[in-house]
Amino acid sequence: YRGEEEIQKELCALFPSAAVGETQSSVSAAEDLQTYSEREWKGNTTKSLLIRKGYEAIASEFNLRKVRGDNYCALRAVLFQVLSQSKQLPAWLHDSDISKWPKEMHSDQDFITEWQFPFETSKSKVQHLEQCLELLTNKWQEAVQSKSLEERKRMCQQVFRGHDEEYELLEALKFLMLRTAVQLHSDMEKGSDVPEFCWLLFARDSSKCPKTFLTNHLRHVGFSGGLEQVEMCLLGYSLQETIRVVRLYKCDTEEFITYYPNDHKNASPLCLLTEDDRHYNVLFMSFRWFQYLLVLSSVVIILIV
């Protein structure tokens, strides 16, 4: 992954007329996919040709937002899509006791002592996770209650600036993943039905149970590693969302478009893009494609009538 200083220089070069707040954003302004592909993947190596072909396959449908290239990128991309697209709150977010979940887990499992944050805090780890979950609840509610696209856009710009608030939201997502992992592992031990990815998640020698999953994997996300594919399934399941990822290096294969988790697909998945299953960027519907869908829907209505 590239250093933050390098990323900031690149953003300033790409968007010299942007406001200071935008150039410092951890999710960049929209960019045409074809233009980005031609600039970033020059040459005629086998990989360059494959990646460019993948971009070309989706260029008419999507535009791109580049996500800061650190080990939080998958979480950041998903969070951005959640806050920019959600039309209603997920069922779990209606739980009035959500801020108490860290204390409950700490009392039952004593997991929270291993948690690490990307910044210093005077609060206990339990208290800080409670604050993170409360912030996530408030921001998700604010996004859903936005009265216009412009209001929602401003809210996202304020969140994704690389400040403590953004990282607290990302740590909240990690906690939700841990809580879900604990629940699913308990269901597995009871013989209850669980999603397919659970068997892969806990089949790893380094992740036989929620404790080792936290110790060997989750606590390192954002620091020395990102999310693996099976953990992307856990993230989507935890948020009650489907994550649709265009995997460019898998172009011309059945895995070019992958869903996390793959055993349930929402009508409006969160769309991401990756070139290597390590770094993730945000995809969103292009205006041209939006116009095409409007025309298509009008034709269908006329035919029905």
Side-chain angles (χ1 to χ4, degrees):
Y1 295 105
R2 297 169 295 156
E4 186 167 329
E5 183 178 349
E6 180 185 351
I7 296 169
Q8 293 295 346
K9 288 181 179 179
E10 182 180 276
L11 287 175
C12 290
L14 286 174
F15 311 106
S17 60
V20 173
E22 187 170 348
T23 59
Q24 292 178 345
S25 174
S26 55
V27 180
S28 75
E31 185 171 2
D32 177 72
L33 269 180
Q34 198 69 45
T35 303
Y36 176 82
S37 170
E38 293 171 357
R39 184 182 70 245
E40 295 293 326
W41 290 94
K42 299 176 182 178
N44 294 311
T45 65
T46 301
K47 184 173 183 180
S48 293
L49 292 173
L50 181 66
I51 297 297
R52 285 207 304 270
K53 184 177 182 180
Y55 274 114
E56 184 177 352
I58 62 171
S60 63
E61 184 177 353
F62 293 107
N63 283 338
L64 175 77
R65 283 183 180 271
K66 293 181 63 179
V67 175
R68 176 172 293 160
D70 59 18
N71 288 310
Y72 280 104
C73 64
L75 289 168
R76 181 179 290 114
V78 168
L79 178 64
F80 181 88
Q81 291 291 59
V82 163
L83 295 182
S84 62
Q85 294 184 23
S86 293
K87 294 181 174 59
Q88 61 183 16
L89 298 177
W92 57 266
L93 210 54
H94 291 285
D95 190 333
S96 60
D97 292 331
I98 185 172
S99 63
K100 299 178 182 178
W101 289 352
K103 187 174 182 179
E104 292 173 356
M105 181 174 291
H106 183 63
S107 300
D108 296 340
Q109 305 284 349
D110 192 27
F111 283 175
I112 308 304
T113 53
E114 293 194 35
W115 208 272
Q116 56 180 343
F117 293 95
F119 43 80
E120 295 183 0
T121 175
S122 59
K123 297 182 178 180
S124 71
K125 294 180 179 180
V126 170
Q127 290 173 331
H128 201 170
L129 281 173
E130 290 172 347
Q131 177 179 308
C132 293
L133 288 172
E134 184 176 352
L135 180 63
L136 177 63
T137 301
N138 293 338
K139 289 300 177 183
W140 206 320
Q141 289 175 337
E142 184 179 346
V144 169
Q145 294 169 2
S146 295
K147 298 178 180 178
S148 66
L149 290 176
E150 187 61 32
E151 183 179 336
R152 185 176 288 221
K153 179 181 177 181
R154 285 196 301 270
M155 189 273 289
C156 287
Q157 287 176 338
Q158 292 172 355
V159 167
F160 294 95
R161 295 184 297 172
H163 295 171
D164 288 359
E165 180 180 79
E166 177 182 337
Y167 289 98
E168 287 178 341
L169 292 169
L170 299 176
E171 291 298 321
L173 297 189
K174 286 168 59 178
F175 176 82
L176 293 176
M177 292 173 66
L178 177 61
R179 185 174 186 270
T180 303
V182 170
Q183 294 172 332
L184 290 174
H185 188 263
S186 175
D187 289 341
M188 288 176 64
E189 290 186 321
K190 295 174 184 176
S192 303
D193 291 335
V194 294
E196 292 179 7
F197 72 84
C198 294
W199 302 103
L200 296 175
L201 181 68
F202 296 115
R204 302 178 295 182
D205 290 338
S206 57
S207 180
K208 292 291 187 182
C209 64
K211 180 73 170 180
T212 53
F213 167 60
L214 172 63
T215 302
N216 298 324
H217 294 272
L218 191 60
R219 75 186 302 264
H220 302 290
V221 172
F223 297 86
S224 58
L227 293 181
E228 298 180 16
Q229 282 183 269
V230 68
E231 293 156 2
M232 292 287 286
C233 291
L234 177 62
L235 174 59
Y237 188 87
S238 300
L239 297 177
Q240 296 181 357
E241 297 280 358
T242 300
I243 304 170
R244 179 180 186 241
V245 180
V246 178
R247 305 164 72 198
L248 296 178
Y249 78 104
K250 294 286 188 180
C251 185
D252 291 333
T253 74
E254 293 181 354
E255 295 177 292
F256 180 51
I257 296 178
T258 303
Y259 293 86
Y260 302 106
N262 62 5
D263 53 356
H264 76 86
K265 299 175 183 178
N266 291 353
S268 301
L270 309 177
C271 294
L272 309 184
L273 176 143
T274 183
E275 297 173 349
D276 55 10
D277 281 344
R278 292 177 66 247
H279 179 67
Y280 293 84
N281 287 317
V282 167
L283 288 176
F284 65 100
M285 188 183 299
S286 67
F287 182 66
R288 286 175 297 174
W289 188 256
F290 179 70
Q291 287 181 312
Y292 168 75
L293 292 179
L294 284 179
V295 172
L296 184 62
S297 63
S298 299
V299 171
V300 171
I301 292 174
I302 291 173
L303 290 175
I304 292 175
V305 173

